């Protein structure tokens, strides 16, 4: 009984997160400006991180947690670097 | 898959399923809003749905699942929660400031000027704040 | 002094134990790492945040958690409503009274992680902050929330 509940909930959650990733990448390709694309990338990696955690619940393994943690840290550094580039690299001050 | 899940009590499975669906549903709604809202400054609000309770719900589900299935207290997921809660505002603030900077430099009408006495205040700022007149 | 930042050291030890699992060996190793890290921190930044009534921190935490739940529901409803004119976005300038850097940082994190309000920039000359609000129907109420609900409490915590 509980296996069925868990299995369907995990599958549904993974579907929703995959849909969220697809929508975020649509906005990333459509733009219209660079800051929209960067927020799209940010949303994309956060949803991918959540998807990894749901994989961990589905398989019962703890290793996915560490992958998610590393992904969060690298994504944060990447977004901050891109935002700094927008601020200093492109606009003439 | 799911060997340990079969001998889990039903209430725990329902709690895990509830928090998982709340979390991923909020992440999906945030992504939909991110696609649909018309301007950049409105769009910046939508992903915070996913980064506040979207992450919170999925972390809670994972904590309940591993605590019940392994029989000891597991709450290292809270590290991801704390980390994302602290870092998301930083990225959004930096991006919003970069967007403001670019919009001001290009003269895209709809952003308020830098709060600087030498520049004349835009019209709608005068409406929203009487002291600036 | 032995421990320049006791709170930082304690939270680093806790993080080490959460990541590696609790064993006596990891406790000793974590304490060593945390003490050295706090010494490194002390040589980086000499000014220390002053905590006043630190016991009010759980109250702030509870208030923020409740507000995040409330505004999550509000923003989700705005997004799901089809019409584009279902909300009234706008910029808002608020004068702040707090000057403590840590308190301003905490306020910025609180306002940005609450869906529906985003912190754009802080001007240290005017002590004003520019916010963007997704649903600016009641401007006075937003000002009131920021000034009375968060700022007063933060001023008591960071004396």
């Amino acid at each position: 009984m509980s296996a069925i509940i868990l299995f369907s909930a995990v599958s549904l959650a993974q579907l929703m997160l995959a849909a969220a990733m697809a929508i975020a990448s649509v906005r990333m390709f459509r733009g219209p400006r660079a800051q929209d694309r960067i927020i799209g990338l940010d949303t994309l990696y956060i949803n991918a991180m959540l998807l990894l955690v749901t994989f961990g619940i589905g398989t019962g393994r703890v290793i996915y947690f560490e992958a998610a943690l590393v992904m969060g840290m690298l994504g944060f550094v990447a977004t901050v670097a891109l935002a700094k580039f927008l601020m200093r690299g492109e606009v003439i001050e | 898959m799911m060997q340990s899940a079969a001998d889990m009590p039903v209430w725990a499975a329902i709690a895990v399923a509830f928090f998982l669906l709340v979390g991923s549903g909020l992440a999906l709604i945030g992504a939909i809003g991110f696609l649909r809202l018309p301007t950049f400054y409105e769009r910046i609000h939508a992903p915070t749905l996913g980064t506040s309770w979207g992450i919170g719900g999925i972390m809670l589900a994972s904590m309940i699942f591993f605590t019940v299935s392994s029989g000891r207290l597991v709450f290292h997921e809270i590290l991801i929660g704390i980390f994302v809660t602290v870092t998301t505002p930083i990225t959004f603030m930096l991006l919003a400031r970069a967007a403001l900077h670019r919009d001001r430099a290009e003269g895209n009408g709809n952003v308020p000027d830098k709060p600087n006495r030498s520049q004349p205040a835009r019209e709608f700022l005068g409406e929203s704040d009487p002291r600036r007149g | 002094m032995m421990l320049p930042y006791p709170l930082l050291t304690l939270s680093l030890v806790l993080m080490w134990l959460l990541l590696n699992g609790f064993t006596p060996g990891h406790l000793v190793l974590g304490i060593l790492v945390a003490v050295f890290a706090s010494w490194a921190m002390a040589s980086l930044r000499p000014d220390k945040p002053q905590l006043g009534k630190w016991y009010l921190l759980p109250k702030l935490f509870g208030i923020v958690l409740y507000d995040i739940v409330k505004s999550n529901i509000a923003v989700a409803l705005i997004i799901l409503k089809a019409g584009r004119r279902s909300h009234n976005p706008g910029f808002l300038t608020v004068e702040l009274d707090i000057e403590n850097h840590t308190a301003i940082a905490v306020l910025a994190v609180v306002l940005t992680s609450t869906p529906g309000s985003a912190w754009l920039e802080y001007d240290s000359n005017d002590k004003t902050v520019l916010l963007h609000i997704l649903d600016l129907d009641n401007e006075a109420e937003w000002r009131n929330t920021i000034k009375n609900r968060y700022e007063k409490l933060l001023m008591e915590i960071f004396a």
Side-chain angles (χ1 to χ4, degrees):
Chain A
M1 176 66 188
S2 51
I4 301 168
I5 295 175
L6 273 178
F7 181 73
S8 43
V10 167
S11 317
L12 200 57
Q14 283 170 353
L15 272 180
M16 286 204 269
L17 287 172
M21 282 171 72
I23 292 172
S25 51
V26 167
R27 176 55 82 186
M28 205 170 87
F29 283 118
R30 264 203 346 209
R33 307 205 56 201
Q35 52 262 39
D36 294 295
R37 295 179 209 272
I38 295 177
I39 292 207
L41 184 66
D42 191 83
T43 314
L44 186 67
Y45 87 75
I46 282 183
N47 284 323
M49 196 179 84
L50 291 180
L51 192 59
L52 275 184
V53 177
T54 56
F55 275 134
I57 296 178
T59 56
R61 286 194 197 146
V62 195
I63 191 74
Y64 287 103
F65 157 76
E66 286 166 19
L69 197 61
V70 170
M71 196 167 199
M73 290 193 176
L74 289 182
F76 165 64
V77 175
T79 315
V80 167
L82 284 170
K84 275 309 234 193
F85 174 73
L86 269 197
M87 197 107 121
R88 301 276 172 219
E90 202 174 314
V91 180
I92 302 157
E93 289 180 60
Chain B
M1 195 172 165
M2 299 277 180
Q3 281 92 12
S4 61
D7 48 342
M8 211 171 168
V10 177
W11 62 267
I14 290 176
V16 170
F18 172 75
F19 282 117
L20 258 182
L21 293 181
V22 166
S24 50
L26 278 174
L28 182 59
I29 292 175
I32 291 172
F34 180 59
L35 187 67
R36 277 176 80 180
L37 290 173
T39 68
F40 172 78
Y41 299 101
E42 285 165 71
R43 282 199 282 271
I44 208 170
H45 297 291
T48 45
L49 279 179
T51 59
S52 56
W53 271 99
I55 285 193
I58 290 179
M59 293 303 132
L60 274 175
S62 177
M63 269 151 71
I64 295 171
F65 176 80
F66 283 109
T67 301
V68 172
S69 68
S70 72
R72 62 192 176 84
L73 203 57
V74 177
F75 55 106
H76 58 209
E77 283 85 357
I78 206 165
L79 279 178
I80 294 187
I82 292 173
F83 183 76
V84 171
T85 315
V86 173
T87 55
T88 315
I90 298 173
T91 56
F92 281 9
M93 238 179 284
L94 275 173
L95 273 172
R97 278 178 58 203
L100 268 180
H101 185 77
R102 298 183 88 198
D103 281 345
R104 278 172 185 154
E106 293 166 16
N108 285 358
N110 274 331
V111 291
D113 281 327
K114 231 185 175 71
N116 192 341
R117 294 289 176 248
S118 61
Q119 285 175 346
R122 290 261 163 95
E123 194 189 344
F124 76 96
L125 251 189
E127 283 172 11
S128 72
D129 188 354
R131 266 156 302 189
R132 255 175 217 286
Chain C
M1 189 165 160
M2 254 309 268
L3 289 175
Y5 297 97
L7 272 179
L8 175 77
T9 316
L10 188 68
S11 35
L12 277 177
V13 173
L14 279 180
M15 191 183 131
W16 187 273
L17 291 179
L18 277 178
L19 278 176
N20 292 309
F22 183 83
T23 55
H26 271 305
L27 181 64
V28 173
L29 194 59
I31 288 174
L32 272 178
V33 169
V35 167
F36 276 106
S38 66
W39 286 346
M41 183 76 176
S43 61
L44 276 179
R45 194 190 64 176
D47 65 322
K48 198 176 163 178
Q50 297 290 324
L51 277 181
K53 298 180 180 170
W54 55 270
Y55 51 85
L56 285 175
L57 271 175
K59 188 185 167 193
L60 177 74
F61 190 72
I63 286 179
V64 170
L65 218 58
Y66 173 71
D67 283 0
I68 288 181
V69 171
K70 227 173 51 179
S71 58
N72 257 308
I73 296 169
V75 172
L77 285 181
I78 286 177
I79 290 172
L80 290 178
K81 259 182 225 161
R84 288 203 164 171
R85 292 273 67 88
S86 62
H87 61 285
N88 177 23
F91 293 93
L92 177 68
T93 313
V94 181
E95 282 82 18
L96 292 182
D97 295 322
I98 41 175
E99 290 178 16
N100 188 316
H101 288 269
T102 320
I104 292 173
V106 173
L107 185 62
V109 168
V110 166
L111 284 178
T112 313
S113 59
T114 311
S117 58
W119 177 285
L120 299 187
E121 64 179 1
Y122 176 70
D123 187 342
S124 53
N125 291 328
D126 292 6
K127 288 185 204 134
T128 57
V129 59
L130 180 66
L131 302 169
H132 188 268
I133 311 285
L134 186 59
D135 197 0
L136 195 62
D137 267 345
N138 197 341
E139 204 182 305
E141 197 188 315
W142 273 101
R143 271 178 209 282
N144 184 36
T145 308
I146 294 162
K147 297 295 284 184
N148 293 331
R149 201 171 163 87
Y150 300 136
E151 198 185 359
K152 252 185 201 163
L153 201 57
L154 278 170
M155 279 172 102
E156 285 183 39
I157 290 172
F158 299 96

